[in-house]
Amino acid sequence: MKRYQQKQTFFFAPIWLWLGLGLLFLSACTSSFSFAIEDSFDAATLTPIPTNAPVTPTPVPGGAAEVGQTFYKAWENGDLLGMYSLLSPQSQALIDRDLFQNRYRVAMQAATVQGVRIQPLAAKQEGATAVLDVQVTWNTAVFGDIVRPHSANLIFQEGRWGIVWDESLIMPELIGGNRLLMDYRAPARANIYDKTGNALAYQGDVILFGIVPGRIEDEAGLLATISPLLGQSPEQLREKYATADPNWYVPLGQITRQVMEENYAVIEPFIGAGLTADARLSRIYTGVAPHLVGYLGRIPPELAAEYASRGYTEEALIGLTGIEAWGENYLSGQRGGTLTVVDNTGRYVKTVAETEPRQARSIYTTFDVAFQAQVEQILAESIESHPLAGAGAAVVLDVNTGDVLAIASYPSYDPNSFDQTRPTAGETTAALFNDNRRPLINRAVQGEYPAGSVFKLVTMIAATRSGLYNPNTSYTSTGTWDKLGPTAVKTDWRTGGHGTVSLRGALVVSCNTCFYDAAYNMDLEDPNHFSAVARELGFGSSTDIRGVRDTAGLIPDPEWKLANTAEGGWVTGDAVNMGIGQGYVLVTPLQIAQLTAAIANNGTMIQPNLIDRIGSGGGAPEEVLPRGTQKPLPTDENTLQAIRDALRDVAGSTNGTANFVFDGFPVPVAGKTGTAQTAQPMPHAWFTGYAPAEPYTTLAGETITEPEIAVVVLIENAGEGSEVAAPVVRRIIAAYYGLE
């Protein structure tokens, strides 16, 4: 086989304009005073409110303008309590602050208000009363802008100006206790496809099987028929209704419409004879790439207000993980609805706004479902057949684009389990969350692990970048290393050492003591250098992969250690441990894959990407997304070529640590083994590599001259990288090129 939280945005009238109003009110010395206010945003010419009252000088205790402007400015800021504090004493006596705030919240939520904008128009003051006219614009998620004129009355009581409040100051139509009612219309959720259009998640019919015990005519035949379709034994099904009343309805499980149609002939005789079969619309997952696709769920309480402002109802389902979460805005479309005013008895008064829903847009991934399924199967088989392994991850990237060709995590799960309408939803989701194997974790992008010897790629780049080393710098390995003192002697994995090797040669044979020594010398020169280069190579921060959320891992340095540990300051031993990817170092398989791809493509770090394109819909055309950001590796061409040569020797030369795995393999592979020590008795097994490392002619006769794919495999607590992880990489590369 070939190869987002939305915050409320408020708009502010300039404070100087409002303060100017206050000064005008304070300086008034007539019984009647009218004026126009110029909006500083658009410099509109405004007409004063006319008055026929006689102009008679009278002293007016000042501050009406300041109260009016502060009341509306507080609304722009979302400060409802501040608004309440500016009501007149009489108004505060008629409505308490909690009810006041709730009236605003309920109305704005019903209208999906995301921001409030105020435009001052004109004002008039007569003695101890004043009127301020403004234009209020609600920016809503569903209807766009809803614009209404407001006339706010103010009165001077008990030594201060206050707003004379009623519901019309929320919206004029709400006078007299009317309220807003929203009737939502949401478009169907769009599908998620692989790169070629095969569905991964889609809206479709499912058939819900149920049973009425008292109507069963042939129990053995019924259970034998539906048991294999539901994946439950006859005994398990029988237990569900064993204690039920004969006339009760007991849900059993569900199947897709396709399965129903394929098996209808054998199911049909039992429908009505104890078995019920009801169709309903559901989100259906094929089961491939669950950690990438994700699943739906109820809106978390802490996000309820945000989603309500975007037009989501309380019972709406949203993407909680994976592409379902990343692509929520595309997949859910634009909600429509009708906003009406009803009176306090619920009777219709008028329609405020109405809009049709806008079609959702499907998402297409960068991977092919068949190859993704193969990688998942290879990883699962390798772990399940290993006597010690229980979990792991695999990543396959296109080295030239950063596109994800496959990401697998084991153990896995069925995203259909999160369909809360399934009869067994409560049991299955609880089991997933309580499973100590943590099947919901995407280990490829969220798992943080000590890197072991695959991190020697970083050490070599940092060492040559420091100026202390070049690829040919020699080191004599005796099997032990004691520069930290006699109580901290470190040993190599090969008894007696590797003899005199160059830095490049040390990468081939994975000589620990050579990289201890390099880290030691770099630290003496500059304790921050090694960590800084590691971060330039993408470690210690998110890769910003498009489509899923990943974790940052950890790269320690003197400042971090002082702030985050009780062990005191940085010591040279911390850098020495980092030299072979141990100590505090934590990385994700995706980060290792990103670096490996950059080495394979001659030195360009590319942001990983899981999303190929967004489908058309809602008036928008199909959109092919631009590929991720790129930056050069922080190393020179000589070092980069030396690393590429060394990685080729790891898999292709007799002294390479993975030669025995790839000997005779038709695809030329370059790579690096890693064995990372943990708190458990057995280490994590790593292998990272790319192919083809040299020109390769495929079975179809095509000659490929440059590397195409980077592959990383991590198997938790399973042993040596060369023995456990490298064979899995070989199988994945074979699957990619269609080999047995």
Side-chain angles (χ1 to χ4, degrees), residues 452-464 470-473 475 477 492-493 498 500-516 518 579-580 595 599 638-651 653 655-659 670-674 687-688 690:
S453 290
V454 294
F455 201 74
K456 290 172 182 174
L457 297 170
V458 179
T459 310
M460 182 166 172
I461 291 173
T464 56
N470 64 59
N472 296 318
T473 301
Y475 170 80
S477 165
D492 221 321
W493 65 268
H498 301 273
T500 299
V501 293
S502 65
L503 186 61
R504 174 198 176 284
L507 194 62
V508 176
V509 298
S510 201
C511 175
N512 286 344
T513 57
C514 177
F515 289 95
Y516 288 143
I580 63 164
L595 174 58
I599 292 170
N638 184 46
T639 298
L640 181 58
Q641 188 56 52
I643 291 173
R644 286 164 59 92
D645 291 342
L647 297 186
R648 177 66 185 116
D649 286 347
V650 166
S653 70
N655 63 337
T657 54
N659 175 255
K672 181 71 189 80
T673 55
F687 190 85
T688 184
Y690 61 85

Side-chain angles (χ1 to χ4, degrees), residues 316-342:
L317 299 177
I318 64 169
L320 296 180
T321 64
I323 297 171
E324 291 278 29
W326 178 89
E328 178 64 28
N329 290 341
Y330 295 116
L331 296 169
S332 63
Q334 178 68 47
R335 279 158 168 70
T338 303
L339 184 66
T340 58
V341 177
V342 297

Side-chain angles (χ1 to χ4, degrees), residues 180 195 231 308 341 370 397 513 620 635 686:
L180 294 173
K195 189 170 185 176
V341 177
L397 296 182
T513 57
T635 190
W686 284 93

Side-chain angles (χ1 to χ4, degrees), residues 107-145:
M108 293 169 69
Q109 181 173 320
T112 68
V113 175
Q114 296 179 299
V116 177
R117 185 171 68 252
I118 307 299
Q119 179 184 349
L121 297 177
K124 179 177 66 176
Q125 178 181 329
E126 294 183 357
T129 64
V131 178
L132 181 66
D133 282 3
V134 300
Q135 179 175 282
V136 177
T137 300
W138 285 357
N139 178 254
T140 73
V142 172
F143 306 105
D145 286 351

